[in-house]
């Protein structure tokens, strides 16, 4: 009788262990959040994005670069009355910006809601101090236009000088001293219980890039 009971318990234990091993498990929320930020901001851990969201993370950097440059050029050139060509200058600016963000910015992570299906991860971000960059840009551009008045009357010259100063200022930028807090809300993927989905994807991505790349401006 005892032997039979022991055998039943052993079989039940084995079934439970095998069920646990075979079942899918999601990436722990804090780690999932860190992978997300590292992939989007620093172009790191892109190979791990598939484990979190089931998507190819290698495309993040290229998509971000394309979107950033298109948006930047559209906004910047709108302030001029004539067409200006700034492709090379914007490339240089973007590369300088990315380098400085990689070297100077930082963040910390904590789970503020550990709900199994809908966790929330909070990031305290010390992004690049673009307020200081903007101040330096205005000061140096004023000096340049005073020394060469033709800059103020030539759109192409003004655009190029602005980008030249902007890029140099970014290369000297440091991180802000006061961190900005943003929150990522995850939810279990209803189609695959081994993956996550972002609940607030659009808002989070906007806040994330603003916090890292436009620190001090909001």
């Amino acid at each position: 009788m005892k032997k039979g009971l022991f055998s039943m318990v052993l079989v039940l234990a084995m079934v439970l262990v095998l069920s646990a091993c075979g079942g899918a498990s999601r990436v722990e929320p804090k780690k999932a959040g860190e992978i997300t930020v590292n992939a989007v901001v620093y172009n790191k851990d892109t190979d791990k994005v598939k484990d979190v969201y089931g998507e190819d993370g290698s495309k993040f950097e290229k998509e971000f670069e394309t979107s950033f440059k298109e948006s930047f050029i559209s906004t910047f050139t709108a302030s001029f009355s004539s067409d200006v060509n700034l492709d090379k200058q914007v490339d240089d600016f973007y590369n300088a910006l990315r380098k400085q963000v990689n070297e100077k910015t930082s963040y910390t992570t904590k789970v503020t809601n550990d709900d199994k299906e809908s966790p929330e991860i909070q990031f305290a971000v010390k992004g690049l101090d673009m307020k200081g960059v903007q101040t330096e840009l205005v000061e140096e551009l004023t000096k340049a236009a005073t020394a060469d008045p033709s800059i103020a009357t030539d759109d192409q010259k003004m655009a190029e000088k602005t980008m030249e100063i902007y890029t140099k200022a970014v290369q000297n930028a440091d991180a802000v001293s006061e961190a900005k807090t943003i929150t990522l809300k995850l939810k279990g993927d209803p189609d695959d219980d081994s993956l996550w989905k972002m609940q607030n994807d659009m808002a989070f991505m906007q806040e994330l890039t603003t916090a890292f790349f436009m620190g001090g401006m909001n």
Side-chain angles (χ1 to χ4, degrees):
M1 184 69 176
K2 289 183 179 179
K3 184 175 181 181
L5 178 60
F6 177 76
S7 297
M8 288 177 63
V9 171
L10 182 60
V11 170
L12 178 60
M14 290 179 66
V15 170
L16 291 174
V17 169
L18 289 174
S19 297
C21 291
S25 60
R26 302 186 187 101
V27 175
E28 184 267 328
K30 184 174 184 290
K31 185 64 177 177
E34 291 171 348
I35 290 172
T36 303
V37 171
N38 289 344
V40 174
V41 178
Y42 299 115
N43 196 30
K44 298 192 303 184
D45 290 342
T46 55
D47 58 324
K48 300 175 183 177
V49 171
K50 197 171 187 64
D51 296 333
V52 180
Y53 301 110
E55 299 179 8
D56 181 9
S58 63
K59 62 184 180 180
F60 276 18
E61 166 64 15
K62 194 60 183 176
E63 288 179 350
F64 181 87
E65 179 179 354
T66 299
S67 177
F68 178 91
K69 289 180 179 179
E70 288 178 352
S71 178
F72 185 93
I73 291 174
S74 176
T75 302
F76 184 73
T77 57
S79 61
F80 296 97
S81 58
S82 59
D83 293 337
V84 292
N85 185 355
L86 293 172
D87 289 348
K88 181 184 183 305
Q89 288 83 356
V90 172
D91 284 346
D92 292 342
F93 174 75
Y94 177 80
N95 291 335
L97 179 65
R98 281 301 251 163
K99 180 175 183 294
Q100 209 67 4
V101 166
N102 287 343
E103 293 180 356
K104 300 294 183 178
T105 66
S106 62
Y107 72 94
T108 58
T109 318
K110 67 177 179 180
V111 176
T112 54
N113 180 357
D114 59 358
D115 182 276
K116 184 179 179 181
E117 291 299 317
S118 301
E120 295 185 5
I121 305 96
Q122 187 180 88
F123 305 90
V125 179
K126 290 187 176 181
L128 207 61
D129 183 7
M130 292 303 285
K131 186 175 182 179
V133 170
Q134 291 290 100
T135 299
E136 182 176 343
L137 172 63
V138 172
E139 292 176 351
E140 292 302 316
L141 190 57
T142 300
K143 291 179 184 177
T146 300
D148 182 2
S150 68
I151 291 176
T153 59
D154 186 322
D155 283 350
Q156 183 65 36
K157 187 179 288 189
M158 171 64 84
E160 290 178 1
K161 178 56 69 173
T162 300
M163 291 307 303
E164 176 189 330
I165 296 172
Y166 210 2
T167 301
K168 287 181 179 178
V170 162
Q171 291 172 338
N172 297 321
D174 210 334
V176 296
S177 57
E178 184 175 346
K180 179 175 177 57
T181 300
I182 58 175
T183 299
L184 171 62
K185 299 179 181 180
L186 295 175
K187 62 179 178 179
D189 188 332
D191 299 320
D192 188 335
D193 61 6
S194 69
L195 301 174
W196 293 109
K197 279 186 174 294
M198 293 187 200
Q199 293 192 58
N200 60 333
D201 51 353
M202 295 298 290
F204 174 72
M205 286 301 182
Q206 182 176 351
E207 291 176 359
L208 182 71
T209 52
T210 299
F212 274 98
F213 290 85
M214 298 296 290
M217 296 297 289
N218 55 331

